[in-house]
Amino acid sequence: MTDHAQTPPDENHLIATRREKLDRLRAQGQAFPNDFRRDTLAEYLIGTYGSRDAASLEAETTVFALAGRLMAKRVMGKASFGQLQDMSGRIQLFVQLNVVGDAQYETFKHADVGDLLGVRGTVFKTKTGELSVKVSELRLLVKNLRPLPEKWAGLTDTEVRYRQRYLDLIVNPEVRTTFEKRGKTVRFIRNFLDALGFIEVETPMLQPIAGGATARPFVTHYNALDRDFYLRIAPELYLKRLVVGGFEKVYEINRNFRNEGLSTRHNPEFTMLEFYQAYADYREAMDLVETLIRDVAIAVHGSAVIRYQGRTYDLEKPFNRWTMKEAVLRHNPDLDASALVDRERLAAYAKRVGGDVKPAYGVGKLLTEIFEKTVETTLLDPTFITEFPTEVSPLARANDADPTVTDRFELFIAGREIANGFSELNDPDDQAARFRAQVAAKQAGDDEAMLFDADYIRALEYGLPPTAGVGVGIDRLVMFLTDAPSIRDVLLFPQMRPEA
RNA sequence: GGGUCGUUAGCUCAGUCGGUAGAGCAGCUGGCUUUUAACCAGUUGGUCGAUGGUUCGAAUCCAUCACGACCCA
């Protein structure tokens, strides 16, 4: 791009002024140099010298090279202060005319907050005791053309924060902390599973049949094959194929895509951990999940006692474990055990509590509706709900004693589903029958129902070991660990409508 | 999809009953060699989200639309 002289007519005078400064830099030579090398981060200086007193620092003659973004500037005649921010934090700069000379002092005087600078200098403490760098050399490395948000109130407009996350990250340090914690969370989970002998794999995102969950997929087109493909809604069926193939402990952490609405809890692409362990059942999986959640909290947060949105959660205590029926009865005194098997009464009650009621719904689906409407958001302390109806669990193994329910659990924390796991259905004929029921539901108008995956059935016919599988919503887990009220706060670039 | 609220200078926000568009910060000019929301003096800066309507006159009232936040489905 060489037409830098062309300034869009809608730019304001602040940008125009900075472009003039840039034009002068271009005229003087390389305006975007890449030959300055730093050897020190702000955090290192603060950590190493922050607690030393002013007198002892006077003997420190080491010259450090730092680079970063100028975040504040205070010019006082022939001496000036600034704040330099790098990836580790901030440190104060002290620039004096009689040390750096006219040219560099002018550079600093006319620098804008937001410019990227390289400086060399020694450490000292000011009268007020702030560790600072006495600058002996200063260079402008990149000219900032767009003014940063105001220094005191900062950037609060949520729309701008999400759309221009880079700006949010520059001016709101706690945002950076949130995403560092997110990275730490994922890394901890990988280490945790690796240590238990799990193998991490990657399975297709582009799938000819979007299986493994009940959700509407995104459709795309593969030109070379002239065929529609789907962005995956879950990796589940592929991971279980791998268990058939002998990956007896396997996991994947990756993106899923669901063609649903946007909300504080939903983004169309989100990150899911799924892991599968052969020769284990859902109870062992629950124990593993409980340990994982507790340990990840300690690793990321330093403690198993978490403050989330004003409420304290003690993950050290054993998680609650209730069956879905127990939970529904506990929260709905108008219902008794006999009502839970009476379709008419359940349908009437589900309707009363605002649930979706359709003629095709059996008692299991109706019970689930009532659970979602009356119980889910009340499950604040970590709670496993078990015995999900078979009707709503097309991939889970039916319970040996009561085949109307499955050996399945979901974990709720702060009223939100965090994990979902079950003993896998490994009877190929039962699975084929459940796929056929899903296909029938789809034909009856349920556009979230599953399709028949013949290759998956073929894989089961080779023999899927008895297996437990779990999915953990990473975004919701990170929300909880970072005290974030909205999923958008834990996604670097949350989905937004295109700008007008 | 529905409801409520919001959108005014680069940022954060005021704007009365419908009567010439405001502040702080940032910017620009000058002063100031230990400041830290530096300070002092002067000063520039507006498609009031968009479109249409009511009115002598609209940031303000009405309608539609766009985008966002929160709640609900």
Side-chain angles (χ1 to χ4, degrees):
Chain A
M1 301 297 272
T2 52
D3 58 343
H4 51 81
Q6 191 181 1
T7 301
D10 59 344
E11 282 188 355
N12 67 59
H13 74 284
L14 292 173
I15 293 175
T17 305
R18 294 184 186 207
R19 282 198 169 276
E20 283 165 22
K21 291 178 182 176
L22 176 59
D23 287 342
R24 281 199 290 278
L25 289 171
R26 289 187 199 276
Q28 286 163 17
Q30 178 52 267
F32 293 87
N34 188 358
D35 60 339
F36 185 89
R37 294 293 173 265
R38 70 176 168 200
D39 55 29
T40 308
L41 293 174
E43 184 181 47
Y44 171 81
L45 295 183
I46 306 249
T48 308
Y49 300 105
S51 54
R52 297 262 299 272
D53 62 44
S56 81
L57 286 176
E58 276 172 34
E60 278 299 334
T61 56
T62 313
V63 175
F64 298 102
L66 295 99
R69 196 179 293 275
L70 184 67
M71 296 304 291
K73 193 180 76 162
R74 295 180 286 275
V75 177
M76 301 173 312
K78 298 183 179 61
S80 301
F81 289 92
Q83 286 283 338
L84 193 73
Q85 172 172 290
D86 64 25
M87 62 183 282
S88 73
R90 289 187 185 189
I91 190 156
Q92 180 166 265
L93 305 178
F94 184 48
V95 187
Q96 295 164 103
L97 173 63
N98 65 358
V99 175
V100 300
D102 284 328
Q104 289 183 24
Y105 195 73
E106 280 302 301
T107 296
F108 187 77
K109 250 175 96 167
H110 293 287
D112 289 295
V113 168
D115 286 352
L116 294 167
L117 304 179
V119 301
R120 281 181 230 282
T122 53
V123 292
F124 78 108
K125 275 202 173 170
T126 62
K127 272 203 276 196
T128 53
E130 176 160 351
L131 185 73
S132 308
V133 174
K134 188 171 288 186
V135 173
S136 54
E137 183 191 339
L138 177 143
R139 284 179 66 191
L140 177 58
L141 302 181
V142 179
K143 183 68 206 160
N144 165 296
L145 295 177
R146 291 184 177 270
L148 295 186
E150 196 254 339
K151 62 187 170 190
W152 192 240
L155 178 68
T156 60
D157 185 321
T158 48
E159 183 171 356
V160 177
R161 288 187 48 224
Y162 296 148
R163 285 194 199 280
Q164 296 179 252
R165 186 65 93 178
Y166 41 89
L167 188 56
D168 193 26
L169 284 164
I170 289 170
V171 301
N172 292 323
E174 69 282 4
V175 175
R176 181 189 184 90
T177 307
T178 294
F179 289 101
E180 285 170 351
K181 281 185 178 175
R182 182 176 178 125
K184 222 171 172 179
T185 300
V186 173
R187 208 173 323 120
F188 178 87
I189 292 172
R190 286 202 162 100
N191 291 339
F192 180 94
L193 291 170
D194 291 348
L196 291 172
F198 283 81
I199 304 293
E200 181 175 8
V201 296
E202 290 171 283
T203 63
M205 299 251 177
L206 285 176
Q207 302 182 349
I209 297 171
T214 51
R216 276 196 308 211
F218 285 93
V219 188
T220 188
H221 191 78
Y222 189 176
N223 292 338
L225 302 185
D226 190 22
R227 225 199 112 149
D228 282 347
F229 271 68
Y230 302 92
L231 300 188
R232 75 176 190 193
I233 56 176
E236 170 150 357
L237 300 185
Y238 285 91
L239 291 171
K240 284 191 280 192
R241 283 174 170 96
L242 295 179
V243 180
V244 170
F247 278 107
E248 293 170 356
K249 286 177 157 187
V250 69
Y251 75 95
E252 178 165 9
I253 297 177
N254 227 320
R255 221 69 65 82
N256 290 345
F257 305 85
R258 296 187 183 174
N259 209 335
E260 296 165 351
L262 294 164
S263 81
T264 49
R265 293 175 298 282
H266 298 88
N267 196 68
E269 54 182 299
F270 60 98
T271 302
M272 192 85 154
L273 158 70
E274 286 201 10
F275 65 86
Y276 292 84
Q277 178 171 5
Y279 310 108
D281 68 9
Y282 78 110
R283 295 195 171 277
E284 290 154 292
M286 270 197 285
D287 292 341
L288 189 58
V289 168
E290 183 165 340
T291 305
L292 172 63
I293 299 289
R294 186 173 294 135
D295 288 1
V296 78
I298 293 167
V300 171
H301 205 261
S303 157
V305 179
I306 303 275
R307 194 90 182 145
Y308 182 72
Q309 298 296 293
R311 189 178 183 279
T312 299
Y313 295 79
D314 186 356
L315 304 185
E316 207 62 65
K317 292 192 293 197
F319 295 5
N320 297 321
R321 298 187 181 202
W322 301 335
T323 69
M324 184 182 282
K325 283 178 184 166
E326 285 169 356
V328 165
L329 290 176
R330 183 182 299 227
H331 283 82
N332 297 277
D334 291 355
L335 293 176
D336 56 36
S338 69
L340 298 186
V341 293
D342 182 334
R343 193 192 173 280
E344 292 313 307
R345 285 178 66 188
L346 275 185
Y349 192 81
K351 200 156 211 147
R352 205 178 102 200
V353 297
D356 192 23
V357 177
K358 289 180 181 162
Y361 289 0
V363 292
K365 176 72 175 163
L366 293 170
L367 178 70
T368 307
E369 286 285 323
I370 294 168
F371 170 78
E372 288 174 357
K373 288 291 170 221
T374 63
V375 182
E376 214 173 280
T377 56
T378 70
L379 300 175
L380 299 178
D381 288 320
T383 302
F384 288 108
I385 298 295
T386 60
E387 296 189 9
F388 274 65
T390 307
E391 190 182 347
V392 298
S393 310
L395 301 169
R397 185 181 195 280
N399 183 268
D400 287 342
D402 177 4
T404 68
V405 299
T406 53
D407 289 340
R408 175 181 172 190
F409 69 87
E410 285 191 1
L411 172 64
F412 295 86
I413 302 177
R416 286 199 277 263
E417 179 193 338
I418 297 287
N420 175 22
F422 38 84
S423 300
E424 302 297 337
L425 174 56
N426 62 348
D427 174 341
D429 294 336
D430 188 349
Q431 183 66 73
R434 301 228 209 149
F435 274 156
R436 282 192 291 271
Q438 286 286 308
V439 170
K442 195 165 203 85
Q443 281 163 355
D446 182 353
D447 55 9
E448 292 192 342
M450 295 178 183
L451 291 170
F452 195 97
D453 188 334
D455 176 68
Y456 180 65
I457 297 297
R458 180 166 60 185
L460 293 188
E461 287 170 351
Y462 283 96
L464 171 67
T467 297
V470 175
V472 177
I474 297 298
D475 309 280
R476 290 181 184 176
L477 178 59
V478 173
M479 283 170 70
F480 179 67
L481 294 175
T482 58
D483 198 19
S486 169
I487 195 170
R488 296 184 192 106
D489 295 321
V490 300
L491 295 167
L492 282 166
F493 298 99
Q495 191 58 238
M496 305 284 278
R497 282 174 211 275
E499 281 185 82

